Every structure is written in C-alpha cells, then in structure tokens.
Amino acid sequence: MSTSTPTVVLIHGAFADAASWTGVIAELQKEGVAVVAPPNPLRGLASDAAYVASVAAQIDGPVVLVGHSYGGALITVAGVTENVVGLVYVAAYVLEEGESLGELQGRFPDSPLVSNLKQATYPLEGADPAVEVTITPEAFPAIFAADVPEAVTKVLAVAQRPLAASAFTETAAAAAWKTKPSWAVVAGADQAIDAEVQLFGAKRAGATVVEIEGASHAVAVSQPKKTADVILDAVRATS
C-alpha cells in the first residue's frame, strides 16, 4: 500500500473490547494496511466520540474510521475530524445529527437485547453513582454471537465491557456521513441491533451497503474476511 493509504481505526462497541477485531486486523495486515484498535471508554457518546476523534487526529495521514454497534454512533460524531476520509459501519447505529441511540432504536420494535440487559452502578466523583449495563451471560450467546462457537461465546459473555446507560440518551453533535463517504456491513440475523435499524441508518447516510445473511451482531468475529473486504473497499476508494 502507498504512503497515502489511510490508516484504519477500529472502534469496538458495547459489551466487547478491541480483541473482537482480531480476525479483521489479521485480514487487513495481510493486505499491508496500517491498523489501530484503541479501547472505547464506553462512558458516554460525547466523551467517547471526543476520545475517538483525538486518536484519529494524532495519526499522520488519512484515516478510515470503522465502528461496530455503538461504535458507529461514535464515528458518526468523531468522523468530522479533518484527516478522516471515510466511515465504515459494522452492524452499527448510524445516527443523524441531534439524534440519540434511543430515538433511532425507538423507530423500530425492540430487539431481544432490550429485555436482557443487566444493570449495575459505578462511582462518579462528586456525584451519585451512575448506571451501566451488560447483557445477561445466559442470553449473551443468542443475542450477541449466535454464529460464533459456543466455547468462544462463553468467554465473551464473562469478558463484557459495560456501557454507561447515559449513552442511550445523549444526542449526536454531528453527522460526519453528510460530508464523508460511508460503507456499511449489515448483519442479517442480528438480535442486538435489528438489521432494519442498521439498514435504515445506512441508507439515510447514503452508505454503500453489504448485507451478510445469517450473520450475528458479532459479525466481525464470525465473518472477519467479509467484514475486512468492505473496509478494504473503503480504504481503496479513499486512497
């Protein structure tokens, strides 16, 4: 790849960590693409998007931001960063400016995820404890990763990273897809974010859509090559 080839920055979503990109990273590295997979703080839309933007801004040269799930909302906001040249949504929320996750999801019937969230609290300095959510471990395999081997899902279920509940009500300060080209991987059998929700946001953004039939929410884990192929399309188009 040439020196003008974008660096790919992979942003994981809720209930996961950067290791969920392992297979995708391997595919991109085989093609000589530079990759960064930072931790997503999962503490709130504005603060998380600011963190993602700071990661992108400190990379020399162009960047393609890739967001899975809640990470899609973050790249929508952080994507206005000057050196970001493209956005890739993977089984993700694609927000409009001024819209929250709850508002986008509220246009459609609830997915099984909603009734299988477990609440806990975490301390905030100088304030009351805040609420965070995870998926109940027994429901995790079917909801998050139905097409991933059971032994793997059992590990993923207990290694979840919680999402601050406030992330569902914060609104997007910007919609970078209005000025940056976008691509979307739609997971056809997603039980966490229904495929209709993914398609609605992707089409509204004018994204180039690739739907993977039978894919779960963990499409980057179960279908790393197909996911990476879409990212590579974005890299080539923006090089």
Side-chain angles (χ1 to χ4, degrees):
M1 294 283 178
S2 72
T3 52
S4 64
T5 302
T7 296
V8 172
V9 177
L10 302 168
I11 306 301
H12 67 81
F15 322 125
D17 61 23
S20 59
W21 293 112
T22 299
V24 171
I25 292 169
E27 293 292 337
L28 295 175
Q29 289 180 334
K30 269 196 276 185
E31 298 298 324
V33 175
V35 189
V36 178
N40 178 351
L42 301 177
R43 297 294 80 172
L45 180 54
S47 61
D48 293 346
Y51 179 78
V52 172
S54 75
V55 171
Q58 293 175 76
I59 292 172
D60 289 335
V63 166
V64 168
L65 284 179
V66 182
H68 174 246
S69 190
Y70 165 66
L74 303 185
I75 70 168
T76 295
V77 178
V80 298
T81 305
E82 188 176 354
N83 63 326
V84 173
V85 294
L87 310 166
V88 182
Y89 296 93
V90 178
Y93 288 112
V94 187
L95 297 182
E96 170 62 279
E97 185 175 351
E99 184 177 54
S100 69
L101 295 176
E103 287 168 340
L104 174 55
Q105 182 63 60
R107 297 169 180 264
F108 301 86
D110 285 344
S111 74
L113 172 70
V114 177
S115 58
N116 286 285
L117 291 175
K118 177 183 176 183
Q119 291 193 355
T121 59
Y122 63 96
L124 288 177
E125 189 174 349
D128 292 334
V131 175
E132 63 184 14
V133 292
T134 53
I135 304 172
T136 56
E138 60 273 16
F140 185 94
I143 288 173
F144 198 91
D147 56 351
V148 174
E150 184 182 6
V152 177
T153 65
K154 285 182 176 179
V155 174
L156 296 176
V158 299
Q160 291 182 63
R161 290 194 49 216
L163 175 66
S166 61
F168 290 102
T169 54
E170 286 189 59
T171 58
W177 48 259
K178 292 184 175 180
T179 56
K180 312 280 174 86
S182 59
W183 290 257
V185 175
V186 171
D190 199 325
Q191 297 296 300
I193 304 175
D194 190 85
E196 287 188 19
V197 179
Q198 299 172 40
L199 273 171
F200 172 83
K203 288 181 176 178
R204 180 173 62 179
T208 300
V209 176
V210 174
E211 185 165 2
I212 302 179
E213 288 187 22
S216 75
H217 192 58
V219 61
V221 178
S222 64
Q223 303 273 4
K225 186 173 190 313
K226 289 183 179 178
T227 302
D229 283 346
V230 177
I231 298 169
L232 287 168
D233 286 345
V235 167
R236 293 179 184 118
T238 54
S239 293

